[in-house]
Amino acid sequence: MKRLSSLVLIVLSLIITIGCVTPGGDTQGSNLVKRDITAVIQKTCFEVVVPRLEAEHIVYDRELPWEKIPYIVRTDDYNSIGTAFAIGEDRFITAAHVFSLTDDSLLYEDYFIRDSNGEVFPVTNLIRFHDSKDFVEFTVEGFRADSYLEFRDGPYVKNETVFQVGNIYGQGIVAVPGTILGDMVEPKNGEWKYIKSSPPNDKGSSGGPLIGADMKVIGVIDLKDDNFSYSLPVSEITAVTEGKGYMDRDYAYSFSLLMGEKSGLIPYVREIDLPMDLREVKSRMKNGYMESYEANMEAFLEESGGLFPEGSGSDEALHGASTSGGIQVIYRNKDDRKWYFSSLDKNSGNLGDEGQVQYVSIAGSVYFDLMKPKRMSHDELYDSPKSVMDTLISGVSFSRKFAGDDIRIKTLGEPFLNKTITDRYERHWHVGVWTIDYADEVGIMMWTAVPSGVIGVMTFVDSSSLDMWLYDFGKIADLIYVPYSATLQEWAGYLANEESSFGQYADMDLSYENEGRLNVETDEISISFGSDFLTVGDTMMMTLTRDVFEQEGEFVWGLRKINFSESKRDNYFVSYRFLKPSEDLPESYHQKWEDFRNRRHPYNSSTYMLDGHTDIGTVHPQFSEDEESVFSLYLAYEGDQSKESMEQRLEFLKTALSFK
């Protein structure tokens, strides 16, 4: 802070007394008054501010250390985001990016100018703007400028002394002397030249005037790098027709699960008639861009070969399957352009009482498995999006950077948006959106209930990009592998909550007794066995994995794997759906299929030892060799089991498990 204060004093000591300013009402400029530049900018230049937001719904694990924030900042009700200046009694100029015309923030709906006395006045109509040239001319409500700046009619020259005016050091409007060093050609098409000057401006000076020694405006400060400032010449402003707004931006498109792929630059061009209220302009520009975004994303995905399962490179993933007990994604590898099931290496967060969160970040989004604590019922977890989010962030640290400290967030409160979407496989996803007011961001979480708790994905993004992320999440939902593996006790709690289950699980019947009998009934299968076959109890694991595959010409989310295992011994059975491979798949797929359908080892009903247990397998008798989708039966018991006992168990399983 000492260095900053010293720099401000040095700058102010260099400010010279020279020039003139046109009083409001004197449009001929005949009544010119000598002023020092400080007086000039106090009358004609303003901060652009937005209300500072501190939401009460966000709760932290400790008080925010406001005492570390400078007094002038912590007592300010507004955030300064740029600079504006008067060019008439009721006309003002700033940089277009200060208003972020295509970014219709959910939180910062109103913009204001603030004068040297600290009074604020709302921005109302836009008179003209050009987004590429990065300027906007506008009006405000309840204020008329007593004095305003004039544009210079003549040229600027190299080595000319200038003043860069703006909220450059976060200390209010100041003028920093500098020198014109030359020009920089507009990089896209070379349509105009920026004025290059020194020293570099600070971010708060965007939209401020570049003033010559004659006190005339030479340009509008738009850009900077580490060494220089760049301003749009005033001639480029007057060349734009009053009553018109122009938008011309280039965007590249990508999708997080198409690894390493991106479209070329695609223009977004709009023209709008003015004057128009700033809110309405932003809304129209945002809506227009969303139409463009969706159309260009669809085109990009199609040109990239399409998404799984129709997309190119899908065959191997369709015939393979994930064996994971947690969330995975289906992604396309950038090298061979084939789709694969992921094997995510996840971090772990402890929720206590045997609960945990496993999570991993992919392209800025966090994919997670939330295994609920024993103390929490399914009803409590599924009660509200807030309950799910609070449980998640109790195991995964999300913090706010504040005065150099990381302050952990305990709760984001209730979401402002809560809805349910259905993906292409009729799976139900809950979507909640939370406002992060202090950062103009939103937290988006999409999750679905599973017997062990929930799985899902979440991200924090600028609030203005919410609609784009909701579109992307809708696509991502189709590419998430959802695990259904839990203890019988967890399955019972999951099925008892009617709102959480859907599809085949909505109509599923489960009944069991500890050390007794188990019965499972769905629209697809029937399973019934007693503890003399496998020990039944609360902690027995049941897995009913569903997966995407092609059936009768359609892609379905169907049953792929059935697995029951004891909790205290390594005794289990598995029934797995094998699929006939398409002709273009590698030979290894065809060989595996032939081995299975011809009942070769390990599906030849012969016992063998493997890793300390006795195994036996076969093809389920309900399926013929000619079918394109066939289930296996496979048993494993600890120790050296007799051939007769394993064969008897396998024969029993052939009738205990039936397909409908």
Side-chain angles (χ1 to χ4, degrees), residues 202-272:
D202 195 60
K203 61 182 180 180
S205 62
S206 293
L210 183 70
I211 299 177
D214 58 358
M215 292 296 105
K216 299 291 182 69
V217 178
I218 303 171
V220 179
I221 300 170
D222 279 342
L223 308 169
K224 72 164 187 170
D225 57 25
D226 291 338
N227 300 303
F228 307 110
S229 296
Y230 303 94
S231 302
L232 180 74
V234 294
S235 59
E236 295 297 334
I237 297 176
T238 56
V240 175
T241 305
E242 186 171 314
K244 290 291 184 180
Y246 300 95
M247 179 70 64
D248 184 359
R249 292 190 185 184
D250 292 334
Y251 294 93
Y253 295 82
S254 62
F255 183 66
S256 60
L257 298 181
L258 288 176
M259 302 299 185
E261 297 195 34
K262 183 181 290 188
S263 75
L265 292 176
I266 300 174
Y268 169 63
V269 180
R270 288 290 187 276
E271 179 180 324
I272 192 170

Side-chain angles (χ1 to χ4, degrees), residues 612-624:
H613 46 70
T614 308
D615 294 15
I616 190 171
T618 189
V619 176
H620 195 286
Q622 281 188 236
F623 299 92
S624 68

